[in-house]
Amino acid sequence: MTDTPDLFNTLRRLTPSRIRLDATGSAAPLASVLDFQLSHARARDAIHLPADWDRITADLHAIDGIETLALKSRAEDRLVYIRRPDLGRRLAPESLALIPPVPPDLAPDLAPDLAIVVADGLSASAVTTHAARMVARLKDALPELAFGPIALVREGRVAVGDEVAQAMQAPLCLVLVGERPGLSVSDSLGAYLTWNPRPGTPDSSRNCVSNIHGNGGLSYDDATDLIAYLIRGARALKATGVALKDDRPKAPRITKSE
């Protein structure tokens, strides 16, 4: 029993998650209660506050002058977005009209190889903090690809990227989206990759790289390596989702005897 506190302290150093909360007398410690309330407030802010689109746009323009498109889903505001997920999956008609058309017969020459979409999802702080940094690393890691303008979609969910990429005639779409915040991390970014994106594409046809953040999550470098690997695999296989696996060599597991 005397080793138990040391065991939990060791585990706490490995993760930002809350591991065992011992009561002091009949109540939880004040510091723990305040910490929980602060985390809860950060999670609510991540969902309800708007992303800093001006900062994201400026950060992207600073990367070799990357162009952006300011778009919006069919959800007219945040409350509608939360209550009507279906509207967040479709692009508003006036936003669809902003995407420069590519004649189908010229698509192989003029369309981008990869359409990148940044959507606020359920964490505005995630896209504000991480999206431009991930785009910068992906451009460096994938010099063989032609990128289109980066679509910035307010009140957008993962599937909204299908309509954006289809309008761009891009064969492959990567959506960087804010993930649902937890009580340990409120700024986690997810990346969803879809080959041949079209409205109505099932989630089984997507690959997801999740938990990209700086609080014990996937680092920018590791996320970039994995996404670049999946993108090259998707282009070779002409498929994503259940047909595309991360088959990179894995590091050997550390067993108890070791």
Side-chain angles (χ1 to χ4, degrees), residues 139-166:
K139 278 188 66 68
D140 290 341
L142 296 161
E144 72 272 27
L145 295 190
F147 290 59
I150 309 299
L152 308 179
V153 184
R154 298 174 188 239
E155 321 298 1
R157 295 179 185 267
V158 172
V160 78
D162 299 338
E163 204 164 13
V164 175
Q166 185 185 44

PDB file of all heavy atoms in Angstrom, residues 139-166:
ATOM      1  N   LYS A 139       3.545  21.021 -46.630  1.00  0.00           N
ATOM      2  CA  LYS A 139       4.097  21.542 -47.885  1.00  0.00           C
ATOM      3  C   LYS A 139       5.569  21.152 -48.025  1.00  0.00           C
ATOM      4  O   LYS A 139       6.028  20.797 -49.107  1.00  0.00           O
ATOM      5  CB  LYS A 139       3.946  23.065 -47.943  1.00  0.00           C
ATOM      6  CG  LYS A 139       2.563  23.515 -48.383  1.00  0.00           C
ATOM      7  CD  LYS A 139       2.523  25.007 -48.622  1.00  0.00           C
ATOM      8  CE  LYS A 139       3.386  25.456 -49.786  1.00  0.00           C
ATOM      9  NZ  LYS A 139       2.851  24.978 -51.073  1.00  0.00           N
ATOM     10  N   ASP A 140       6.299  21.222 -46.934  1.00  0.00           N
ATOM     11  CA  ASP A 140       7.711  20.832 -46.978  1.00  0.00           C
ATOM     12  C   ASP A 140       7.864  19.331 -47.203  1.00  0.00           C
ATOM     13  O   ASP A 140       8.803  18.884 -47.877  1.00  0.00           O
ATOM     14  CB  ASP A 140       8.414  21.232 -45.679  1.00  0.00           C
ATOM     15  CG  ASP A 140       8.580  22.742 -45.558  1.00  0.00           C
ATOM     16  OD1 ASP A 140       8.491  23.435 -46.588  1.00  0.00           O
ATOM     17  OD2 ASP A 140       8.784  23.218 -44.428  1.00  0.00           O
ATOM     18  N   ALA A 141       6.949  18.545 -46.627  1.00  0.00           N
ATOM     19  CA  ALA A 141       7.066  17.086 -46.704  1.00  0.00           C
ATOM     20  C   ALA A 141       6.572  16.522 -48.027  1.00  0.00           C
ATOM     21  O   ALA A 141       6.894  15.378 -48.365  1.00  0.00           O
ATOM     22  CB  ALA A 141       6.276  16.444 -45.554  1.00  0.00           C
ATOM     23  N   LEU A 142       5.771  17.318 -48.760  1.00  0.00           N
ATOM     24  CA  LEU A 142       5.170  16.807 -49.998  1.00  0.00           C
ATOM     25  C   LEU A 142       5.463  17.767 -51.156  1.00  0.00           C
ATOM     26  O   LEU A 142       4.545  18.341 -51.754  1.00  0.00           O
ATOM     27  CB  LEU A 142       3.660  16.647 -49.812  1.00  0.00           C
ATOM     28  CG  LEU A 142       3.230  15.619 -48.761  1.00  0.00           C
ATOM     29  CD1 LEU A 142       1.788  15.856 -48.329  1.00  0.00           C
ATOM     30  CD2 LEU A 142       3.394  14.198 -49.313  1.00  0.00           C
ATOM     31  N   PRO A 143       6.739  17.943 -51.504  1.00  0.00           N
ATOM     32  CA  PRO A 143       7.072  18.915 -52.562  1.00  0.00           C
ATOM     33  C   PRO A 143       6.562  18.504 -53.933  1.00  0.00           C
ATOM     34  O   PRO A 143       6.483  19.337 -54.839  1.00  0.00           O
ATOM     35  CB  PRO A 143       8.605  18.953 -52.515  1.00  0.00           C
ATOM     36  CG  PRO A 143       8.999  17.622 -51.964  1.00  0.00           C
ATOM     37  CD  PRO A 143       7.935  17.266 -50.978  1.00  0.00           C
ATOM     38  N   GLU A 144       6.225  17.229 -54.109  1.00  0.00           N
ATOM     39  CA  GLU A 144       5.766  16.763 -55.421  1.00  0.00           C
ATOM     40  C   GLU A 144       4.302  17.102 -55.697  1.00  0.00           C
ATOM     41  O   GLU A 144       3.831  16.906 -56.820  1.00  0.00           O
ATOM     42  CB  GLU A 144       5.951  15.240 -55.505  1.00  0.00           C
ATOM     43  CG  GLU A 144       5.008  14.404 -54.668  1.00  0.00           C
ATOM     44  CD  GLU A 144       5.497  14.161 -53.246  1.00  0.00           C
ATOM     45  OE1 GLU A 144       6.255  14.992 -52.731  1.00  0.00           O
ATOM     46  OE2 GLU A 144       5.100  13.131 -52.650  1.00  0.00           O
ATOM     47  N   LEU A 145       3.583  17.618 -54.704  1.00  0.00           N
ATOM     48  CA  LEU A 145       2.157  17.869 -54.871  1.00  0.00           C
ATOM     49  C   LEU A 145       1.857  19.341 -55.159  1.00  0.00           C
ATOM     50  O   LEU A 145       2.519  20.242 -54.646  1.00  0.00           O
ATOM     51  CB  LEU A 145       1.394  17.463 -53.607  1.00  0.00           C
ATOM     52  CG  LEU A 145       1.387  15.985 -53.234  1.00  0.00           C
ATOM     53  CD1 LEU A 145       0.384  15.741 -52.111  1.00  0.00           C
ATOM     54  CD2 LEU A 145       1.051  15.126 -54.428  1.00  0.00           C
ATOM     55  N   ALA A 146       0.817  19.559 -55.993  1.00  0.00           N
ATOM     56  CA  ALA A 146       0.278  20.909 -56.209  1.00  0.00           C
ATOM     57  C   ALA A 146      -0.894  21.110 -55.265  1.00  0.00           C
ATOM     58  O   ALA A 146      -1.841  20.316 -55.267  1.00  0.00           O
ATOM     59  CB  ALA A 146      -0.169  21.052 -57.657  1.00  0.00           C
ATOM     60  N   PHE A 147      -0.780  22.138 -54.430  1.00  0.00           N
ATOM     61  CA  PHE A 147      -1.847  22.453 -53.479  1.00  0.00           C
ATOM     62  C   PHE A 147      -2.750  23.524 -54.093  1.00  0.00           C
ATOM     63  O   PHE A 147      -2.283  24.446 -54.762  1.00  0.00           O
ATOM     64  CB  PHE A 147      -1.278  23.014 -52.172  1.00  0.00           C
ATOM     65  CG  PHE A 147      -0.546  22.000 -51.333  1.00  0.00           C
ATOM     66  CD1 PHE A 147       0.546  21.318 -51.827  1.00  0.00           C
ATOM     67  CD2 PHE A 147      -0.952  21.737 -50.040  1.00  0.00           C
ATOM     68  CE1 PHE A 147       1.229  20.393 -51.055  1.00  0.00           C
ATOM     69  CE2 PHE A 147      -0.282  20.808 -49.255  1.00  0.00           C
ATOM     70  CZ  PHE A 147       0.815  20.135 -49.774  1.00  0.00           C
ATOM     71  N   GLY A 148      -4.021  23.424 -53.840  1.00  0.00           N
ATOM     72  CA  GLY A 148      -4.927  24.507 -54.205  1.00  0.00           C
ATOM     73  C   GLY A 148      -4.951  25.544 -53.102  1.00  0.00           C
ATOM     74  O   GLY A 148      -4.226  25.439 -52.104  1.00  0.00           O
ATOM     75  N   PRO A 149      -5.762  26.603 -53.271  1.00  0.00           N
ATOM     76  CA  PRO A 149      -5.924  27.538 -52.153  1.00  0.00           C
ATOM     77  C   PRO A 149      -6.496  26.800 -50.951  1.00  0.00           C
ATOM     78  O   PRO A 149      -7.292  25.864 -51.103  1.00  0.00           O
ATOM     79  CB  PRO A 149      -6.899  28.576 -52.712  1.00  0.00           C
ATOM     80  CG  PRO A 149      -7.602  27.884 -53.841  1.00  0.00           C
ATOM     81  CD  PRO A 149      -6.608  26.940 -54.426  1.00  0.00           C
ATOM     82  N   ILE A 150      -6.075  27.203 -49.755  1.00  0.00           N
ATOM     83  CA  ILE A 150      -6.565  26.545 -48.540  1.00  0.00           C
ATOM     84  C   ILE A 150      -7.965  27.068 -48.232  1.00  0.00           C
ATOM     85  O   ILE A 150      -8.168  28.286 -48.095  1.00  0.00           O
ATOM     86  CB  ILE A 150      -5.623  26.808 -47.349  1.00  0.00           C
ATOM     87  CG1 ILE A 150      -4.174  26.472 -47.722  1.00  0.00           C
ATOM     88  CG2 ILE A 150      -6.075  25.984 -46.148  1.00  0.00           C
ATOM     89  CD1 ILE A 150      -3.923  25.057 -48.111  1.00  0.00           C
ATOM     90  N   ALA A 151      -8.929  26.174 -48.150  1.00  0.00           N
ATOM     91  CA  ALA A 151     -10.311  26.561 -47.852  1.00  0.00           C
ATOM     92  C   ALA A 151     -10.504  26.649 -46.343  1.00  0.00           C
ATOM     93  O   ALA A 151     -10.244  25.676 -45.625  1.00  0.00           O
ATOM     94  CB  ALA A 151     -11.280  25.544 -48.449  1.00  0.00           C
ATOM     95  N   LEU A 152     -10.929  27.804 -45.859  1.00  0.00           N
ATOM     96  CA  LEU A 152     -11.192  28.012 -44.433  1.00  0.00           C
ATOM     97  C   LEU A 152     -12.704  28.047 -44.249  1.00  0.00           C
ATOM     98  O   LEU A 152     -13.369  28.989 -44.683  1.00  0.00           O
ATOM     99  CB  LEU A 152     -10.560  29.331 -43.963  1.00  0.00           C
ATOM    100  CG  LEU A 152      -9.068  29.533 -44.298  1.00  0.00           C
ATOM    101  CD1 LEU A 152      -8.595  30.887 -43.787  1.00  0.00           C
ATOM    102  CD2 LEU A 152      -8.227  28.413 -43.722  1.00  0.00           C
ATOM    103  N   VAL A 153     -13.262  27.021 -43.614  1.00  0.00           N
ATOM    104  CA  VAL A 153     -14.716  26.866 -43.541  1.00  0.00           C
ATOM    105  C   VAL A 153     -15.203  27.096 -42.108  1.00  0.00           C
ATOM    106  O   VAL A 153     -14.889  26.314 -41.203  1.00  0.00           O
ATOM    107  CB  VAL A 153     -15.152  25.470 -44.021  1.00  0.00           C
ATOM    108  CG1 VAL A 153     -16.680  25.380 -44.026  1.00  0.00           C
ATOM    109  CG2 VAL A 153     -14.608  25.188 -45.413  1.00  0.00           C
ATOM    110  N   ARG A 154     -15.974  28.158 -41.931  1.00  0.00           N
ATOM    111  CA  ARG A 154     -16.587  28.427 -40.625  1.00  0.00           C
ATOM    112  C   ARG A 154     -17.770  27.484 -40.419  1.00  0.00           C
ATOM    113  O   ARG A 154     -18.492  27.180 -41.340  1.00  0.00           O
ATOM    114  CB  ARG A 154     -17.074  29.876 -40.557  1.00  0.00           C
ATOM    115  CG  ARG A 154     -15.963  30.893 -40.700  1.00  0.00           C
ATOM    116  CD  ARG A 154     -16.538  32.290 -40.782  1.00  0.00           C
ATOM    117  NE  ARG A 154     -15.488  33.254 -41.121  1.00  0.00           N
ATOM    118  CZ  ARG A 154     -15.152  34.298 -40.366  1.00  0.00           C
ATOM    119  NH1 ARG A 154     -15.807  34.519 -39.250  1.00  0.00           N
ATOM    120  NH2 ARG A 154     -14.193  35.114 -40.732  1.00  0.00           N
ATOM    121  N   GLU A 155     -17.964  27.076 -39.180  1.00  0.00           N
ATOM    122  CA  GLU A 155     -19.052  26.163 -38.815  1.00  0.00           C
ATOM    123  C   GLU A 155     -19.004  24.911 -39.688  1.00  0.00           C
ATOM    124  O   GLU A 155     -20.031  24.432 -40.169  1.00  0.00           O
ATOM    125  CB  GLU A 155     -20.423  26.835 -38.948  1.00  0.00           C
ATOM    126  CG  GLU A 155     -20.510  28.286 -38.522  1.00  0.00           C
ATOM    127  CD  GLU A 155     -20.203  28.524 -37.054  1.00  0.00           C
ATOM    128  OE1 GLU A 155     -19.891  27.565 -36.330  1.00  0.00           O
ATOM    129  OE2 GLU A 155     -20.245  29.692 -36.627  1.00  0.00           O
ATOM    130  N   GLY A 156     -17.792  24.390 -39.893  1.00  0.00           N
ATOM    131  CA  GLY A 156     -17.649  23.250 -40.784  1.00  0.00           C
ATOM    132  C   GLY A 156     -17.311  21.958 -40.058  1.00  0.00           C
ATOM    133  O   GLY A 156     -16.589  21.952 -39.061  1.00  0.00           O
ATOM    134  N   ARG A 157     -17.840  20.857 -40.564  1.00  0.00           N
ATOM    135  CA  ARG A 157     -17.487  19.528 -40.073  1.00  0.00           C
ATOM    136  C   ARG A 157     -16.676  18.790 -41.143  1.00  0.00           C
ATOM    137  O   ARG A 157     -16.446  19.326 -42.231  1.00  0.00           O
ATOM    138  CB  ARG A 157     -18.750  18.738 -39.695  1.00  0.00           C
ATOM    139  CG  ARG A 157     -19.498  19.368 -38.518  1.00  0.00           C
ATOM    140  CD  ARG A 157     -20.755  18.611 -38.151  1.00  0.00           C
ATOM    141  NE  ARG A 157     -21.489  19.312 -37.094  1.00  0.00           N
ATOM    142  CZ  ARG A 157     -21.360  19.075 -35.794  1.00  0.00           C
ATOM    143  NH1 ARG A 157     -20.549  18.124 -35.386  1.00  0.00           N
ATOM    144  NH2 ARG A 157     -22.064  19.755 -34.907  1.00  0.00           N
ATOM    145  N   VAL A 158     -16.265  17.573 -40.835  1.00  0.00           N
ATOM    146  CA  VAL A 158     -15.334  16.857 -41.711  1.00  0.00           C
ATOM    147  C   VAL A 158     -15.883  16.728 -43.133  1.00  0.00           C
ATOM    148  O   VAL A 158     -15.185  16.989 -44.123  1.00  0.00           O
ATOM    149  CB  VAL A 158     -15.038  15.459 -41.128  1.00  0.00           C
ATOM    150  CG1 VAL A 158     -14.223  14.628 -42.127  1.00  0.00           C
ATOM    151  CG2 VAL A 158     -14.291  15.580 -39.806  1.00  0.00           C
ATOM    152  N   ALA A 159     -17.143  16.348 -43.260  1.00  0.00           N
ATOM    153  CA  ALA A 159     -17.691  16.041 -44.581  1.00  0.00           C
ATOM    154  C   ALA A 159     -17.803  17.264 -45.484  1.00  0.00           C
ATOM    155  O   ALA A 159     -17.981  17.099 -46.704  1.00  0.00           O
ATOM    156  CB  ALA A 159     -19.060  15.376 -44.434  1.00  0.00           C
ATOM    157  N   VAL A 160     -17.705  18.473 -44.938  1.00  0.00           N
ATOM    158  CA  VAL A 160     -17.797  19.656 -45.796  1.00  0.00           C
ATOM    159  C   VAL A 160     -16.634  19.690 -46.794  1.00  0.00           C
ATOM    160  O   VAL A 160     -16.734  20.284 -47.864  1.00  0.00           O
ATOM    161  CB  VAL A 160     -17.837  20.943 -44.942  1.00  0.00           C
ATOM    162  CG1 VAL A 160     -16.448  21.319 -44.437  1.00  0.00           C
ATOM    163  CG2 VAL A 160     -18.458  22.092 -45.715  1.00  0.00           C
ATOM    164  N   GLY A 161     -15.538  19.033 -46.452  1.00  0.00           N
ATOM    165  CA  GLY A 161     -14.396  18.982 -47.359  1.00  0.00           C
ATOM    166  C   GLY A 161     -14.710  18.260 -48.655  1.00  0.00           C
ATOM    167  O   GLY A 161     -14.096  18.538 -49.691  1.00  0.00           O
ATOM    168  N   ASP A 162     -15.657  17.317 -48.625  1.00  0.00           N
ATOM    169  CA  ASP A 162     -16.001  16.585 -49.844  1.00  0.00           C
ATOM    170  C   ASP A 162     -16.491  17.538 -50.927  1.00  0.00           C
ATOM    171  O   ASP A 162     -16.110  17.424 -52.095  1.00  0.00           O
ATOM    172  CB  ASP A 162     -17.086  15.541 -49.540  1.00  0.00           C
ATOM    173  CG  ASP A 162     -16.629  14.508 -48.528  1.00  0.00           C
ATOM    174  OD1 ASP A 162     -15.409  14.321 -48.378  1.00  0.00           O
ATOM    175  OD2 ASP A 162     -17.508  13.902 -47.884  1.00  0.00           O
ATOM    176  N   GLU A 163     -17.358  18.449 -50.545  1.00  0.00           N
ATOM    177  CA  GLU A 163     -17.939  19.380 -51.519  1.00  0.00           C
ATOM    178  C   GLU A 163     -16.887  20.378 -52.020  1.00  0.00           C
ATOM    179  O   GLU A 163     -16.877  20.742 -53.194  1.00  0.00           O
ATOM    180  CB  GLU A 163     -19.110  20.119 -50.868  1.00  0.00           C
ATOM    181  CG  GLU A 163     -20.123  20.652 -51.851  1.00  0.00           C
ATOM    182  CD  GLU A 163     -21.430  21.021 -51.174  1.00  0.00           C
ATOM    183  OE1 GLU A 163     -21.459  21.088 -49.927  1.00  0.00           O
ATOM    184  OE2 GLU A 163     -22.403  21.251 -51.901  1.00  0.00           O
ATOM    185  N   VAL A 164     -16.007  20.808 -51.109  1.00  0.00           N
ATOM    186  CA  VAL A 164     -14.949  21.745 -51.503  1.00  0.00           C
ATOM    187  C   VAL A 164     -14.018  21.092 -52.509  1.00  0.00           C
ATOM    188  O   VAL A 164     -13.712  21.652 -53.577  1.00  0.00           O
ATOM    189  CB  VAL A 164     -14.159  22.211 -50.263  1.00  0.00           C
ATOM    190  CG1 VAL A 164     -12.975  23.086 -50.695  1.00  0.00           C
ATOM    191  CG2 VAL A 164     -15.060  22.977 -49.299  1.00  0.00           C
ATOM    192  N   ALA A 165     -13.565  19.890 -52.205  1.00  0.00           N
ATOM    193  CA  ALA A 165     -12.618  19.203 -53.096  1.00  0.00           C
ATOM    194  C   ALA A 165     -13.253  18.859 -54.430  1.00  0.00           C
ATOM    195  O   ALA A 165     -12.604  18.938 -55.476  1.00  0.00           O
ATOM    196  CB  ALA A 165     -12.103  17.936 -52.415  1.00  0.00           C
ATOM    197  N   GLN A 166     -14.514  18.479 -54.399  1.00  0.00           N
ATOM    198  CA  GLN A 166     -15.203  18.174 -55.656  1.00  0.00           C
ATOM    199  C   GLN A 166     -15.261  19.412 -56.552  1.00  0.00           C
ATOM    200  O   GLN A 166     -15.044  19.327 -57.754  1.00  0.00           O
ATOM    201  CB  GLN A 166     -16.610  17.664 -55.379  1.00  0.00           C
ATOM    202  CG  GLN A 166     -17.345  17.218 -56.626  1.00  0.00           C
ATOM    203  CD  GLN A 166     -18.788  16.831 -56.346  1.00  0.00           C
ATOM    204  OE1 GLN A 166     -19.493  17.527 -55.617  1.00  0.00           O
ATOM    205  NE2 GLN A 166     -19.216  15.711 -56.886  1.00  0.00           N
TER     206      GLN A 166
END
